[in-house]
Amino acid sequence: MSIDLSSLSFLVVEDSAYMRTILRTMLQGFGARKIVEAEDGASGLEAMDRANPDILILDWVMPILDGADMVRMIRTQNNPYAYIPIIMVTAHTERSRIIEARKLGIHELLCKPISAKALYQRIASIILQPRDFVKTAGYFGPAPREIRGHKKNWDGNKVLTDANSAMV
């Protein structure tokens, strides 16, 4: 299945110039034409306004402002990009890191070394299986997926949706 990414804009925030090149090349290979890059979380936040991205691809470990801190700043209801789909990239795949990523409110986690197939699958998941946003006392982000057939009951907490979260 091929998805047309030519109309979507991507912001790639990664401190390694080499990894930014790899990600940009993969995105271009998928048909993406609007790709903006930043080398750390602080410049990534600045780039958000000029790039107006549809999808954010973000490294976890970076100088100045790391990916987790950037997500915390984005996932506030008063942020204009609060509902942006986020793919977090990391080489740290221990269980505690994966649980933290979920609590941060990212959409997808991509483990290094990355492959084109894995990146494409994460983008396709965001586009083809959009998730409503959930606001609870301790969480704001995409509704968690079903796990082993058990759907999470949010105990009556308000489920937030946004037309931009569906992407296409």
Side-chain angles (χ1 to χ4, degrees), residues 27-49:
L27 290 169
Q28 288 170 334
F30 303 152
R33 298 293 167 249
K34 302 172 193 167
I35 305 164
V36 175
E37 299 174 21
E39 65 276 355
D40 59 62
S43 59
L45 286 173
E46 292 174 5
M48 297 280 291
D49 287 328

Side-chain angles (χ1 to χ4, degrees), residues 25-160:
T25 302
M26 287 180 185
L27 290 169
Q28 288 170 334
F30 303 152
R33 298 293 167 249
K34 302 172 193 167
I35 305 164
V36 175
E37 299 174 21
E39 65 276 355
D40 59 62
S43 59
L45 286 173
E46 292 174 5
M48 297 280 291
D49 287 328
R50 91 173 169 273
N52 192 24
D54 295 305
I55 297 176
L56 173 61
I57 300 173
L58 176 65
D59 186 29
W60 193 307
V61 179
M62 296 182 291
I64 303 174
L65 184 69
D66 70 13
D69 289 335
M70 187 174 171
V71 172
R72 284 184 197 98
M73 295 174 83
I74 291 170
R75 289 287 190 248
T76 59
Q77 286 187 299
N78 59 349
N79 188 311
Y81 300 101
Y83 295 91
I84 189 170
I86 299 173
I87 299 172
M88 182 78 85
V89 180
T90 185
H92 305 280
T93 58
E94 54 276 355
R95 181 175 168 77
S96 62
R97 183 70 63 120
I98 294 168
I99 291 169
E100 183 181 354
R102 186 172 65 183
K103 288 179 181 178
L104 286 170
I106 67 163
H107 282 74
E108 299 288 338
L109 187 66
L110 184 59
C111 300
K112 293 179 182 177
I114 64 171
S115 69
K117 179 180 179 181
L119 177 60
Y120 189 82
Q121 287 173 334
R122 296 327 185 271
I123 294 168
S125 174
I126 286 170
I127 294 170
L128 299 175
Q129 300 167 358
R131 294 187 271 162
D132 289 335
F133 268 64
V134 173
K135 169 85 172 128
T136 67
Y139 177 77
F140 175 66
R145 294 183 189 93
E146 288 186 30
I147 300 174
R148 295 186 186 125
H150 298 290
K151 192 166 186 165
K152 175 71 176 165
N153 179 355
W154 289 100
D155 300 322
N157 286 314
K158 184 177 179 185
V159 174
L160 304 173

